[in-house]
């Protein structure tokens, strides 16, 4: 538990740099979290986001965030292994093509 608390403190102390280094525009994060712009910038400057606000920001910055249990993760890994064994895979080139297309779509939507 100590490690988690220390990580939380580290995030709180470095939130301004974390947000600046993010591939997302601050305006997008503000819009998605619902925190008013002046309040957001004041909290970012003072590094005083609540834990709920930090969670909200994290969910915007990590859209694949899930609340999976240990068993669900293991089941997902098992399905992935079965996909590999049964040839349900794509090449690295195809993966990169799809990733570039998603990136371009996000750029066009103003999300990055």
């Amino acid at each position: 538990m100590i490690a988690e608390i220390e990580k939380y403190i580290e995030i709180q102390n470095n939130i301004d740099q974390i947000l600046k280094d993010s591939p997302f525009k601050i305006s997008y994060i503000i819009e998605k979290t619902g925190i008013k712009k002046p309040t957001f910038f004041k909290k970012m400057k003072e590094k005083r986001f609540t834990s709920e606000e930090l969670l909200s920001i994290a969910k915007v910055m990590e859209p694949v965030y899930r609340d999976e249990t240990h068993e669900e993760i293991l089941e997902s890994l098992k399905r992935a292994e079965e996909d590999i064994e049964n040839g349900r895979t794509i090449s690295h080139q195809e993966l990169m093509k799809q990733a570039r297309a998603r990136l371009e779509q996000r750029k066009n939507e103003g999300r990055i």
Side-chain angles (χ1 to χ4, degrees), residues 11 15 19 31 49 53 55 92-93 95 99 103-104 106:
I11 291 169
I15 190 64
L19 291 169
E31 175 189 333
F49 287 104
E53 290 166 336
L55 180 59
H92 176 72
Q93 290 173 328
L95 174 70
L103 180 61
E104 188 63 32
R106 288 182 178 162

Side-chain angles (χ1 to χ4, degrees), residues 15-16 18-37 40-41 44 49 53-62 110-112:
I15 190 64
D16 55 338
I18 292 168
L19 291 169
K20 289 175 186 170
D21 292 344
S22 164
F24 297 96
K25 294 179 179 179
I26 299 271
S27 59
Y28 176 77
I29 296 170
I30 291 170
E31 175 189 333
K32 292 299 179 183
T33 59
I35 302 170
K36 294 182 180 177
K37 189 175 181 177
F40 189 95
F41 281 107
M44 186 171 73
F49 287 104
E53 290 166 336
L54 285 176
L55 180 59
S56 162
I57 291 167
K59 286 180 179 180
V60 171
M61 293 174 63
E62 297 182 31
R111 296 187 339 184
I112 56 172

Side-chain angles (χ1 to χ4, degrees), residues 58-110:
K59 286 180 179 180
V60 171
M61 293 174 63
E62 297 182 31
V64 293
Y65 170 82
R66 295 185 195 146
D67 213 7
E68 291 179 312
T69 65
H70 180 71
E71 291 78 21
E72 290 170 328
I73 293 170
L74 291 176
E75 180 62 32
S76 178
L77 290 171
K78 182 179 175 185
R79 285 193 311 272
E81 288 174 347
E82 290 171 358
D83 286 343
I84 292 169
E85 289 173 7
N86 293 312
R88 294 186 299 258
T89 62
I90 60 173
S91 69
H92 176 72
Q93 290 173 328
E94 180 60 26
L95 174 70
M96 294 306 294
K97 180 181 172 184
Q98 291 175 8
R100 286 184 188 102
R102 284 192 307 272
L103 180 61
E104 188 63 32
Q105 181 181 3
R106 288 182 178 162
K107 284 182 182 177
N108 292 338
E109 293 171 353

